[in-house]
């Protein structure tokens, strides 16, 4: 007997017979079903190896079935003969792949490194949080469906989701550094502290809350790396069940932590700890949730067809890749397990032209006014879509049009590229969400936040798609396509510059996809009309971001005579401040220094032009003087002096006695292992190491009597002040001489660091 279930697909994961499917029905009922899906991968073999593979199939520890078929190779567009290998136990898909890789290490494997849930969703074109009518037999097997939803929809309905938040109530330091946990759960607007003294009672209380609310999503802080491993280990030792899994017959799905290089720096990622039938979202291990909240996660999960728990932990590149993989699957294109397309040979002359990024014009040093900022809207994604830039369309075999500026690369005219095809809807959706955000701003705060979170999630995908195009390990990446986008973008900026200068505007600054222009007396309407002219000529929309009352381009930290492209701060005429690269914006700046610089900037909020900035100089100097005096009195709140750094190596790999080495080794001695790429929080006690061998202390081990390094934190504060004051004649040396005058003499050592005598406080505040 077949029944129909009108519901949202919520979760999917592999089981021996295929995949388990969890649905949330309209009335709120949660229902587990299953589908007899057999995942498959492809082998591209030659001659006798085809017969050999079929003979080996009988020896495979997992039951497999081989079927000769034809699929399309992406770069050539040719149909190729392959063996499709169906695996009858979805839980052992990776095991079957590894078996054949041992015998055919030099042959191409396709679709072999994809996860079973994604293969299922690509094959069926279902997607998490997708609404539809699902047909189920008496055993719970899904035998068919009619989707009533579209993953590219912009106005969609979500299921009624129950959300429970689980965290460590003592949030002074992360749970990893704590010996005991003080759990706190929150749902339905109420928080509950689990204050029982013995672990068994805590587990019982946690289970009671899980049973009471039956959450669809459990949101944690540090859940992957610390919280859930500790809780489940305690429950295991006590032989007590836990209700994290909605599917009681399934186990948790875990992965190992990893450290890896990304964009020139080492990054650490905690291993995943996933539930069955519920989503576990660790907000500390999720870029999507950190940037775009759960609304952004829902949007990305629907769009990329990745199960919610995997999407929450996925990088932007992985999310972008999933869009491309789904498109390739739908069009019968083979998905290579390893990138095999080499970089084309180039002459030295071509390399000189090609090996450049976006165009940058460095701005003049100091404060300026009467300047407008204009931004190209999603420049790089738009170039990829409109110019059909994709790895398989650049220098194709069928065309010879040399369309790429400067480089003379050809762009295919006969077929649409995978990158252009997958980005088109993302660009369209983000534009719609931005319009809706603007529509509801100040009118409906709830809808404003939803649309803002959705467009933010898509923004990061569009920002990253260009870099991923040139990433050496990108599955559908190719350096020539990356170079082509850069060439088109440089041409667009130069064209905009030419048009602006012909109309009497001066280009003050430009960076990649933004230009700063100046024309005395020009109005917002003048700039908007200029934007329309540029857009028609270039083929990319450009919008007026705003006109500045004043904008500062500070000096480079390496050379005080020049500026850098990505450091500036200014107040728009419409009342908002914009800052990039300065201390207040940086994550590695102590809060004390951020507060000081922010207070200085607030003094410039109502300044109408660059000339008036100098009038606020005395007030800004007074802010600096007060903060430096507080630092040098030894009375600054140490919690405002915490520094955050990512470790570049393991504790025992450091060969020099740097602050990072001291902190990581100190943690290791207390039994806390910190991996390369992980962030540590610490307070500097004595950067020189001359007065105290402990240069710094981790926040987890810090006591208030330890003090702090006055000289080092004074330097941090004065460097931040210099950023804003150097154009007004106050560089670091002048600030140092003035701000610590009269308070640099008498010192006394405390147990933990260098502090000033209390009787110098009054003179420090007055500068006497």
């Amino acid at each position: 007997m077949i029944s129909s279930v009108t519901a949202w697909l919520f979760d999917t994961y592999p089981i021996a017979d295929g995949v388990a499917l969890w649905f949330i029905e309209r009335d709120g009922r949660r229902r587990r079903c299953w589908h007899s899906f057999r995942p498959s991968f492809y082998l591209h073999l030659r001659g006798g190896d085809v017969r050999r593979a079929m003979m080996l199939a009988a020896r495979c520890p997992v039951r497999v079935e081989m079927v000769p078929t034809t699929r399309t190779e992406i770069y050539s567009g040719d149909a190729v003969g392959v063996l499709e290998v169906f695996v009858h136990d979805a839980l052992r898909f990776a095991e079957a792949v590894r078996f054949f890789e041992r015998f055919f290490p030099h042959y191409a494997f396709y679709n072999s490194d994809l996860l079973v849930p994604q293969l299922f969703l690509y094959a069926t074109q279902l997607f998490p949080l997708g609404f539809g009518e699902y047909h189920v037999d008496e055993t719970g097997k899904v035998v068919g469906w009619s989707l009533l939803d579209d993953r590219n929809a912009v106005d969609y309905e979500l299921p009624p989701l129950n959300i429970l938040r689980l965290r460590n109530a003592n949030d002074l330091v992360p749970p990893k550094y704590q010996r005991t946990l003080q759990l706190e759960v929150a749902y339905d607007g109420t928080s509950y502290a689990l204050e029982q003294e013995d672990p068994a009672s805590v587990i019982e209380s946690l289970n009671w809350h899980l049973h009471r609310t039956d959450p669809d999503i459990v949101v944690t802080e540090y859940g992957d790396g610390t919280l859930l491993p500790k809780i489940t280990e305690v429950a295991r030792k006590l032989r007590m069940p836990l209700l994290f899994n909605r599917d009681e017959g399934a186990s948790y799905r875990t992965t190992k932590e990893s450290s890896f290089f990304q964009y020139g720096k080492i990054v650490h990622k905690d291993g995943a700890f996933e539930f069955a039938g519920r989503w576990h979202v660790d907000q500390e291990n999720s870029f999507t949730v950190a940037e775009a909240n759960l609304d952004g996660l829902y949007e990305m999960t629907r769009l990329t067809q990745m199960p919610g728990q995997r999407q929450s932990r996925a990088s932007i590149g992985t999310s972008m890749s999933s869009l491309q993989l789904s498109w390739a699957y739908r069009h019968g294109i083979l998905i290579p397990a390893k990138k095999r397309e080499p970089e084309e040979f180039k002459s030295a002359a071509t390399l000189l032209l090609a090996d450049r990024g976006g165009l940058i014009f460095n701005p003049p040093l100091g404060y300026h006014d009467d300047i407008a900022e204009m931004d190209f809207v999603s420049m790089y994604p738009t170039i990829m879509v409109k110019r059909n830039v994709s790895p398989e369309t650049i220098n194709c075999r069928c065309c010879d049009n040399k369309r790429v500026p400067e480089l003379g690369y050809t762009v295919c005219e006969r077929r649409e590229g995978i990158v252009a095809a997958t980005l088109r809807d993302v660009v369209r959706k983000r534009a719609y969400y931005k319009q809706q955000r603007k529509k509801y701003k100040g009118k409906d705060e709830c809808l404003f936040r939803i649309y803002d979170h959705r467009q933010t999630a898509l923004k990061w995908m569009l920002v990253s798609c260009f870099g991923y195009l040139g990433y050496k390990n990108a599955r559908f990446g190719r350096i020539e396509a990356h170079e082509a986008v850069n060439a088109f973008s440089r041409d667009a900026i130069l064209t905009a510059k030419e048009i602006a200068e012909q109309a009497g505007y001066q280009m003050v600054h430009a960076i990649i996809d933004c230009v700063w222009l100046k024309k005395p007396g020009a109005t917002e309407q003048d700039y908007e009309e200029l934007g329309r002219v540029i857009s028609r000529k270039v083929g990319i929309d450009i919008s007026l971001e705003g006109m500045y009352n004043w904008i500062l381009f500070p000096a480079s930290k390496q050379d005080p005579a020049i500026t850098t492209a990505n450091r500036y701060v200014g107040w728009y005429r419409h009342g908002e401040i914009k800052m990039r690269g300065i201390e207040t914006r940086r994550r590695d700046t102590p809060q004390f220094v951020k507060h000081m610089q922010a207070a200085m900037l607030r003094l410039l909020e109502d300044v109408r032009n660059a000339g008036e900035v100098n009038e606020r100089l005395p007030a800004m100097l007074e802010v600096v003087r007060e903060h430096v005096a507080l630092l040098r009195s030894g009375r600054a709140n140490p919690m405002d002096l915490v520094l955050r750094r990512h470790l570049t190596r393991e504790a025992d790999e450091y060969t020099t006695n740097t602050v990072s080495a001291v902190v990581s080794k100190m943690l290791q001695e207390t039994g806390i292992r910190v991996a390369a790429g992980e962030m540590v929080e610490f307070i500097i006690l004595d950067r020189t190491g001359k007065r105290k061998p402990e240069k710094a202390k981790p926040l987890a081990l810090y006591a208030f009597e330890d003090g702090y390094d006055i000289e080092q934190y004074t330097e941090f504060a004065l460097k931040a002040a210099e950023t804003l004051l150097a154009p007004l004649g106050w560089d670091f040396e002048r600030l140092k001489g003035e701000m610590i005058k009269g308070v640099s003499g008498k010192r006394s050592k405390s147990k933990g660091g260098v502090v000033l005598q209390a009787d110098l406080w009054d003179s420090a505040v007055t500068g006497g």
Side-chain angles (χ1 to χ4, degrees), residues 47-57 100 102-104 107:
D49 284 320
V50 174
R51 293 188 297 274
R52 182 180 170 219
M54 290 185 170
M55 292 174 61
L56 286 169
F100 285 97
R102 291 203 309 269
F103 293 99
F104 303 103
Y107 282 90

Side-chain angles (χ1 to χ4, degrees), residues 447-459:
L447 284 175
F448 169 80
R449 285 197 303 269
I450 289 173
Y451 287 119
D452 184 50
H453 291 152
R454 290 182 185 178
Q455 72 85 21
T456 298
L458 298 184
K459 176 191 77 173

Side-chain angles (χ1 to χ4, degrees), residues 15-18 36-41 53-67 84-97 99-100:
I15 56 176
D17 295 330
S36 55
F37 175 68
R38 291 184 301 160
S40 66
F41 62 95
M54 290 185 170
M55 292 174 61
L56 286 169
R59 293 168 48 191
C60 183
V62 187
R63 184 186 168 200
V64 298
E65 177 184 350
M66 292 186 168
V67 178
E84 185 169 10
V85 184
F86 291 93
V87 181
H88 285 255
D89 185 343
L91 288 172
R92 302 174 69 185
F93 178 74
E95 182 182 350
V97 171
F99 173 81
F100 285 97

Side-chain angles (χ1 to χ4, degrees), residues 166 181 183 203 206 226-236 242 244:
L166 175 64
L181 297 179
L183 297 181
I203 298 297
L206 177 59
T226 304
L227 211 59
L228 293 184
K230 284 186 176 181
I231 293 172
T232 52
E233 178 63 15
V234 168
R236 185 189 66 79
L242 271 171
F244 282 138

Side-chain angles (χ1 to χ4, degrees), residues 66-294:
M66 292 186 168
V67 178
T69 187
T70 301
R71 290 291 184 270
T72 302
E73 198 279 323
I74 185 169
Y75 290 101
S76 65
D78 297 336
V80 296
V82 290
L83 272 181
E84 185 169 10
V85 184
F86 291 93
V87 181
H88 285 255
D89 185 343
L91 288 172
R92 302 174 69 185
F93 178 74
E95 182 182 350
V97 171
R98 288 193 298 269
F99 173 81
F100 285 97
E101 284 179 337
R102 291 203 309 269
F103 293 99
F104 303 103
H106 304 298
Y107 282 90
F109 282 66
Y110 298 94
N111 297 40
S112 59
D113 63 338
L114 304 182
L115 298 179
V116 170
Q118 284 174 253
L119 283 171
F120 166 73
L121 293 169
Y122 298 157
T124 60
Q125 284 306 294
L126 296 174
F127 54 94
L129 304 181
F131 186 70
E133 186 175 313
Y134 301 89
H135 311 302
V136 183
D137 69 12
E138 62 275 6
T139 69
K141 178 181 179 181
V142 176
V143 296
W145 52 81
S146 299
L147 262 181
L148 307 175
D149 202 349
D150 187 328
R151 66 191 181 95
N152 286 316
V154 289
D155 288 313
Y156 48 82
E157 184 181 2
L158 291 169
L161 296 169
N162 296 331
I163 299 173
L164 179 143
R165 297 182 182 272
L166 175 64
R167 62 188 290 270
N168 187 32
N170 182 5
D171 57 3
L172 182 62
V173 294
K176 180 169 187 171
Y177 306 130
Q178 298 182 16
R179 297 297 183 187
T180 59
L181 297 179
Q182 301 173 16
L183 297 181
E184 177 182 285
V185 297
Y187 53 91
D188 296 337
T190 306
S191 297
Y192 305 88
L194 309 188
E195 296 178 338
Q196 294 82 354
E197 294 184 0
D198 64 291
S201 297
V202 172
I203 298 297
E204 287 180 357
S205 181
L206 177 59
N207 277 333
W208 183 83
H209 286 288
L210 289 168
H211 175 76
R212 181 187 184 192
T213 189
D214 188 22
D216 301 298
I217 304 176
V218 177
V219 180
T220 66
E221 297 176 11
Y222 302 99
D224 282 333
T226 304
L227 211 59
L228 293 184
K230 284 186 176 181
I231 293 172
T232 52
E233 178 63 15
V234 168
R236 185 189 66 79
K237 288 181 178 179
L238 295 174
R239 297 184 179 180
M240 296 179 67
L242 271 171
L243 301 184
F244 282 138
N245 273 351
R246 184 174 267 155
D247 186 343
E248 297 178 359
S251 58
Y252 305 122
R253 300 184 296 279
T254 60
T255 60
K256 294 181 180 180
E257 62 179 351
S258 61
S259 296
F260 51 91
F261 276 98
Q262 186 178 68
Y263 297 109
K265 66 178 182 179
I266 193 163
V267 176
H268 177 81
K269 194 165 185 65
D270 284 331
F273 197 109
E274 298 182 357
F275 302 154
R278 308 190 206 274
W279 291 3
H280 168 224
V281 176
D282 181 354
Q283 63 187 37
E284 301 295 331
N285 198 27
S286 173
F287 178 84
T288 301
V289 174
E291 295 292 330
N293 212 290
L294 289 175

